[in-house]
Each structure stands twice: as structure tokens, then as C-alpha cells.
Amino acid sequence: SNKSKVSIWFALGLTAYALYEIFEWIIAIATNSGADFVSMQGDIWDAQKDMLFALFGATIILIFFQKTHDSSLKSYNLIV
């Protein structure tokens, strides 16, 4: 159903965002470019804040779409 697809795409989106932040961090270390590469704009906690807000967004979405999320997991036999 479309509602279960929303949950799947939501999870994939959050995962992709986390992977992007990790990739950005690895490249900054590997190239020794630091803040210039990651566009931190003087904020050393930029990546952590980005991930925190992504987590907040994910949590809020799950609160509003809990039934859809649970039915999606049930359809894939991931929960009983």
C-alpha cells in the first residue's frame, strides 16, 4: 500500500542522510580540508546538529504515522 511505502521511503531517506554526513566527514579527514569541505560556516557541531534535527524529524513523523509504520513492518514480518 502507499502508506507502507511512506514508511520505507522515510527510513531510507534518514539512512541516506546519515550516510551523507558520514561520507562528508570521511572526505574532510582524508583530504585534510576540514571546515572548507563540509561548509560548517564556523560551527564545529554542524554535522551533529544536522543529524539531531533529522532524528527529531524522524521521531515526529513516526508519532504521526505510527499505525502506518507498524502495518508496514507487519507486512514484511518484521514484528509480530
Side-chain angles (χ1 to χ4, degrees):
S1 75
N2 285 338
K3 290 183 180 181
S4 63
K5 289 180 183 178
V6 169
S7 294
I8 291 168
W9 283 111
F10 169 74
L12 290 174
L14 189 58
T15 302
Y17 188 79
L19 290 173
Y20 173 78
E21 289 293 337
I22 292 168
F23 171 75
E24 191 177 48
W25 171 65
I26 290 170
I27 294 297
I29 290 172
T31 61
N32 202 21
S33 61
D36 294 335
F37 178 79
V38 296
S39 303
M40 293 186 312
Q41 300 165 343
D43 184 4
I44 62 170
W45 297 104
D46 182 64
Q48 290 82 358
K49 287 178 184 176
D50 289 348
M51 289 304 301
L52 180 64
F53 287 121
L55 177 63
F56 285 160
T59 303
I60 290 168
I61 291 294
L62 284 178
I63 289 169
F64 287 112
F65 291 100
Q66 181 178 3
K67 290 180 182 179
T68 304
H69 182 257
D70 290 347
S71 66
S72 175
L73 291 176
K74 285 179 185 176
S75 72
Y76 289 101
N77 296 322
L78 297 175
I79 62 172
V80 179

